Amino acid sequence: EKAHETGNPADTFEYDDELPGGGQFYCVETGKHFADAKALADHKKSRYYKRRCKELKEEKYSQQTAEWASGMTKEVLPPAHGMKK
């Protein structure tokens, strides 16, 4: 919303002579800079870009899953040798 209020697009970057296209054409999903808008548009149609977007949408491991996989369970197990009388 702020981009619409100020009139500046949210995806504009500061000009940098060291980067292709002055750093103005950047793909956030893949982390690449492009020389012009056409190259960026072509990149967004590519298989690599689409695969990366799909990968970013997938849920990664949670802390609970990591603990489960490492054997750090929180369940209470019965005694190994049973109850003594």
Side-chain angles (χ1 to χ4, degrees), residues 34-78:
F34 295 92
D36 56 11
K38 182 175 179 352
L40 178 60
D42 290 343
H43 167 71
K44 290 197 175 190
K45 294 177 186 175
S46 72
R47 184 179 306 166
Y48 174 72
Y49 173 80
K50 291 176 183 178
R51 188 179 302 143
R52 178 67 179 148
C53 288
K54 183 178 178 183
E55 186 179 295
L56 289 172
K57 288 178 185 176
E58 291 178 3
E59 184 177 333
K60 298 296 176 189
Y61 300 112
S62 65
Q63 184 64 32
Q64 183 180 7
T65 307
E67 288 175 0
W68 173 81
S70 68
M72 298 175 57
T73 59
K74 296 180 181 175
E75 61 188 84
V76 179
L77 300 174

Side-chain angles (χ1 to χ4, degrees), residues 3-4 7-14 23-29 33 40 44:
H4 295 291
N8 295 333
D11 59 347
T12 59
F13 298 97
E14 192 172 315
Q24 298 301 303
F25 307 102
Y26 180 71
C27 178
V28 177
E29 292 83 4
H33 290 275
L40 178 60
K44 290 197 175 190

